[in-house]
Amino acid sequence: MKQTSRLKLSRWRLFDHYFVVIFILVIPLLTLFHLFEIYVTNSYDGVRTASELISTSWPWVIIAIALYFTRKRQLRFKEVKIEFTDQEFKEAVERTTNEYHWRIDLNNENILRAYRHWNWTGSWGEMITIIKDHDRLLLNSICDPEKTSSVVSFGWNKRNVETFLKHLNDAKNGIPVQEVIEMQENECTLKKVLFRLFAYPLCLFLIGFGFYMIYDADDWGTPFTGMGAIAIASFYLYTDLKLIMRTRRTNTQQQI
């Protein structure tokens, strides 16, 4: 990892990391199969022409390509040139752990591996990797590969890295620890509320439009396109609502 500056994952974790790309490519692959039936085996019995099949599938290819390069970039380490002592590094780890409740899984003279659990912010949790290499640090944070596949971390991957570097610089400069006031788990920021006000109606529209595409596939797209829209919208609604319910149960238990 020092030589490539890229996070190395096991085969199964790597597959899970790119699973969303594979999932989106299902529709273009089905289209490719229909084109094979049209031009090679002459066994296609559908009602859509080849040009119509292609026109409804190429946007999914573009989305899959964009997600592939995004997921690939997420595996890159951020390199920071900085000199520090073992005590300063330890102090930075303790400060970040106290603030974000990191669970330290591995911490030796070469590498630190930590996990941040899910909370009300929408992220399922992240895996943080920090490699010490002489006068530099290699830092990476990705959505926890041991949890449910997640496309976005709601800013937590960037926040994990930047917060640790801030605490390391504070430790180097002798700045005392500032008290961190934890927000209540049931408190939603204005940004998140506004996002849900936009996302929920959009998901409901996609689900309804997906069923309409399945019912009237001749005019609006293939049934598989409709099923894909329904699956993506339903997955987001399910995971977000499940997270809200967990937060409410946690708050109730704390009050009791």
Side-chain angles (χ1 to χ4, degrees):
M1 290 191 289
K2 289 180 180 179
Q3 295 176 351
T4 62
S5 293
R6 295 183 61 83
L7 182 66
K8 185 177 180 180
L9 299 175
S10 64
R11 292 182 180 179
W12 175 249
R13 284 185 171 183
L14 193 64
F15 172 81
D16 185 70
H17 184 73
Y18 286 106
F19 177 75
V20 63
V21 179
I22 300 173
F23 177 77
I24 292 178
L25 283 175
V26 170
I27 295 175
L29 288 175
L30 290 173
T31 300
L32 186 63
F33 175 75
H34 291 321
L35 293 176
F36 180 82
E37 290 181 325
I38 293 174
Y39 293 109
V40 179
T41 64
N42 197 25
S43 60
Y44 178 66
D45 57 358
V47 297
R48 300 181 64 81
T49 64
S51 59
E52 289 174 336
L53 290 171
I54 294 173
S55 64
T56 56
S57 63
W58 69 262
W60 296 98
V61 176
I62 295 177
I63 294 174
I65 293 174
L67 281 174
Y68 169 77
F69 284 106
T70 299
R71 303 296 275 179
K72 184 178 181 181
R73 186 173 64 251
Q74 290 173 350
L75 296 179
R76 295 176 57 185
F77 280 98
K78 178 178 181 179
E79 180 179 350
V80 177
K81 296 286 186 177
I82 185 172
E83 295 182 358
F84 55 89
T85 64
D86 292 339
Q87 182 59 36
E88 291 168 347
F89 185 87
K90 180 180 178 181
E91 178 67 21
V93 172
E94 291 179 353
R95 294 186 183 192
T96 312
T97 299
N98 291 334
E99 182 173 354
Y100 287 162
H101 304 289
W102 281 5
R103 174 176 62 84
I104 305 300
D105 181 64
L106 175 65
N107 187 11
N108 57 36
E109 60 182 8
N110 296 315
I111 186 172
L112 178 139
R113 173 68 51 78
Y115 294 88
R116 192 192 72 87
H117 297 291
W118 69 271
N119 59 12
W120 61 271
T121 56
S123 173
W124 288 107
E126 305 82 46
M127 181 180 75
I128 303 94
T129 306
I130 303 175
I131 297 178
K132 293 179 280 187
D133 187 22
H134 303 295
D135 61 343
R136 68 169 184 164
L137 286 176
L138 298 176
L139 306 101
N140 177 272
S141 177
I142 63 171
C143 296
D144 191 347
E146 295 183 354
K147 300 290 182 61
T148 304
S149 297
S150 179
V151 180
V152 294
S153 66
F154 296 89
W156 274 102
N157 285 325
K158 182 179 180 181
R159 201 176 306 174
N160 284 319
V161 172
E162 291 182 347
T163 300
F164 175 80
L165 290 175
K166 175 183 179 300
H167 286 312
L168 182 58
N169 281 312
D170 288 347
K172 284 173 56 65
N173 297 325
I175 300 176
V177 179
Q178 296 180 355
E179 182 180 359
V180 178
I181 302 176
E182 291 185 324
M183 300 179 64
Q184 296 294 329
E185 290 188 349
N186 62 343
E187 181 182 355
C188 292
T189 63
L190 177 61
K191 181 178 179 180
K192 191 166 186 63
V193 171
L194 292 176
F195 178 79
R196 280 177 172 152
L197 289 176
F198 168 78
Y200 281 20
L202 178 61
C203 289
L204 294 176
F205 169 78
L206 288 176
I207 293 173
F209 191 63
F211 279 111
Y212 186 78
M213 282 193 291
I214 295 173
Y215 174 76
D216 195 9
D218 294 345
D219 296 330
W220 293 99
T222 66
F224 299 105
T225 306
M227 287 187 288
I230 293 172
I232 293 173
S234 299
F235 179 77
Y236 170 77
L237 288 175
Y238 171 75
T239 54
D240 196 60
L241 291 173
K242 184 178 180 181
L243 186 60
I244 292 175
M245 295 302 297
R246 285 184 178 179
T247 302
R248 288 182 177 179
R249 285 197 298 266
T250 301
N251 292 335
T252 302
Q253 293 174 357
Q254 289 177 349
Q255 292 174 359
I256 295 175

